[in-house]
Amino acid sequence: MTAVILDQLEAVLPDGAVVTDPDITAGYRQDWAADPGAGTPVAVVRATCTEDVQAVMRWASQHRVPVVPRGTGTGLTGGSSAVDGGIVLSTERMRAVSVDPIARVAVAQPGLLNAEVKKAAAEHGLWYPPDPSSVDICSIGGNAATNAGGLCCVKYGVTTDYILGMQVVLADGSAVRLGGPLLKDVAGLSLTKLFVGSEGTLGIITELTLRLIPPQPSASTVVASFRSVESAADAILMITSQIRPAMLEFMDQASINAVEDTVRMGLDRNARALLLAQSDSPGAAGTREIETIVGACETHGATEVFDTDNAEEGEAFTAARRSVLPATMALGSVLLEDVGVPMRQLPSLITGIEAISEDCNILIATVAHAGDGNAHPLIVFDSTDPDATERAHVAFNRVMELVIALDGTITGEHGIGRLKRDWLPRQLGADVMELNRRIKAALDPLGILNPGAVLA
Ligand SMILES: Cc1cc2nc3c(=O)[nH]c(=O)nc-3n(C[C@H](O)[C@H](O)[C@H](O)COP(=O)(O)OP(=O)(O)OC[C@H]3O[C@@H](n4cnc5c(N)ncnc54)[C@H](O)[C@@H]3O)c2cc1C
């Protein structure tokens, strides 16, 4: 790209919005997945408003320049990997939020962190539930673009369940408003839903209207240790067939030990699996739910079951669970999966992953949003050892084959990005892939929005 073309972009944006210093732009090349195929952008644009984003897209359409939208880069699939010769469009400066307590909605710009949306809602006695483990570091726009899940989603649903409307800038630079602060609205096709989870490939979200609900009641917590992953998986099915817990998380021995190495919660290092469950139903209903959880764990041979009403204690266990990914990353390079299966298949998934780990002679630490049937096998290896790297990739592919054989999904909440793209046709089939391509071509005929993500 010539300097003249870049000058034209600078001319239509506020001073300082276009950053070309390679020492700075290098920090925008990759997300947490550290995609080795990430390119080098010609510039990063730090937009401040919808009009800035429109100006970027008009310029990009005119000159056919690829644009990669980026929140805070906590993605785990290479979804915001930069493209050679392209622009990274960062929303980090788009941080306004307002709350309407009568309509029970928040209107947020995309660069606000998830935790900041929760805080703004809490100031009005309201709650924004979706809580990815990255809650303190991920943007609400990134959450919408990936349809992020999290820990309380087993009871309260995922990001899409809280998006009532949005403003989106399309590839040609036009801006549209979809939905709004209406609790019921079925006018036209469900276009808002189409953009949720579209990973920056169909448009750039510049504003979100989010549904808020009354605050979560105080939760009681159960922590149970098991001698085998099978018995923990059986306990999970027994729980979910009877109640809807507010949290139901699984950690295997490798993830328990990774956490203990870093935060020292006093978890049983010898346990083969641990369940962390919560009920936030008030009064007698909550007591019954906790009894059901404890009973299921005991029926399936838990070696230790601990329960507490103390909110701080419960939060400490939740924080330990949230720390599994960074704790595991301290052990070596990590290939991170995000697979999901129908609940009935959860035991086969968890035991299957254990078998793949043994067969491939590679450490796989598995942590799961178990109540949603969504597991994160974290394949840990020494990337300086070619043999270990090879075995890690074989294990990754075998886990993908396993979930497809179990009628599952290759991604439950992180998205496809670039790192899982080649597996997408195996899950969707040729006809659904073609439908995806037709929608992409209709909205982004020049193919300039996040090229290479999701669809090949
Ligand atoms: C420690 C850790 C724990 C995590 N735990 C969870 C978890 O429990 N559940 C979960 O779902 N995820 C989890 N994640 C993954 C990640 O935090 C989520 O995918 C999050 O939604 C990404 O937000 P981001 O702002 O970092 O987006 P980015 O990584 O910057 O971008 C993600 C994707 O969204 C697109 N995008 C970003 N902003 C916009 C926009 N405004 N318009 C259009 N497209 C856009 C990008 O192009 C890219 O494709 C975790 C990550 C980490 C590091």
Side-chain angles (χ1 to χ4, degrees), residues 57-389:
M57 292 315 303
R58 278 191 214 106
W59 170 88
S61 288
Q62 188 188 345
H63 300 288
R64 303 203 170 205
V65 178
V67 176
V68 176
R70 183 182 177 97
T72 51
T74 67
L76 297 169
T77 63
S80 56
S81 298
V83 172
D84 280 334
I87 296 288
V88 172
L89 193 140
S90 167
T91 61
E92 70 199 289
R93 289 188 173 167
M94 299 178 71
R95 295 179 37 77
V97 63
S98 63
V99 173
D100 178 346
I102 304 290
R104 287 190 178 164
V105 298
V107 176
Q109 284 190 320
L112 207 68
L113 302 180
N114 175 308
E116 292 170 329
V117 174
K118 285 182 186 297
K119 186 164 173 279
E123 281 164 10
H124 294 268
L126 293 167
W127 181 36
Y128 174 72
D131 61 343
S133 293
S134 50
V135 54
D136 292 316
I137 53 174
C138 62
S139 76
I140 197 72
N143 289 176
T146 56
N147 193 9
L151 278 67
C152 73
C153 299
V154 59
K155 180 165 180 177
Y156 290 98
V158 297
T159 303
T160 191
D161 299 312
Y162 294 87
I163 297 185
L164 294 172
M166 60 173 69
Q167 185 170 35
V168 195
V169 173
L170 303 176
D172 63 4
S174 55
V176 290
R177 281 194 177 277
L178 304 170
L182 297 168
L183 295 177
K184 293 182 78 180
D185 176 9
V186 293
L189 298 179
S190 298
L191 295 181
T192 311
K193 299 287 177 196
L194 179 64
F195 284 92
V196 177
S198 63
E199 302 187 47
T201 62
L202 301 182
I204 301 177
I205 299 163
T206 57
E207 186 186 280
L208 286 159
T209 303
L210 302 166
R211 183 167 174 236
L212 307 177
I213 63 173
Q216 185 179 27
S218 172
S220 302
T221 304
V222 178
V223 184
S225 309
F226 293 83
R227 276 209 193 86
S228 74
V229 293
E230 289 92 330
S231 46
D234 289 339
I236 292 163
L237 293 197
M238 192 171 200
I239 295 167
T240 54
S241 64
Q242 297 180 74
I243 61 162
R244 206 154 101 153
M247 183 196 298
L248 184 50
E249 296 288 312
F250 166 96
M251 290 163 66
D252 72 354
Q253 189 168 26
S255 33
I256 295 168
N257 279 291
V259 168
E260 273 304 302
D261 288 344
T262 50
V263 293
R264 295 203 166 69
M265 282 295 298
L267 305 178
D268 179 1
R269 282 182 177 273
N270 296 316
R272 296 298 302 276
L274 180 143
L275 291 189
L276 174 62
Q278 285 189 336
S279 164
D280 63 2
S281 297
T287 309
R288 272 198 305 279
E289 287 188 357
I290 291 295
E291 282 168 3
T292 302
I293 295 167
V294 169
C297 294
E298 287 174 350
T299 303
H300 289 286
T303 50
E304 198 184 327
V305 185
F306 167 79
D307 69 275
T308 176
D309 290 339
N310 183 306
E312 271 178 33
E313 226 168 3
E315 185 44 45
F317 283 115
T318 308
R321 157 63 189 90
R322 285 205 175 103
S323 71
V324 168
L325 178 57
T328 307
M329 282 176 152
L331 301 177
S333 296
V334 172
L335 284 180
L336 195 144
E337 309 228 32
D338 165 42
V339 293
V341 288
M343 283 309 290
R344 195 177 287 282
Q345 301 285 20
L346 191 67
S348 304
L349 174 66
I350 289 176
T351 53
I353 292 168
E354 210 176 44
I356 291 169
S357 167
E358 274 171 32
D359 266 12
C360 296
N361 186 23
I362 198 101
L363 177 64
I364 305 184
T366 299
V367 65
H369 304 302
D372 290 325
N374 178 201
H376 300 309
L378 310 171
I379 302 168
V380 186
F381 64 105
D382 174 359
S383 55
T384 63
D385 175 349
D387 179 52
T389 305

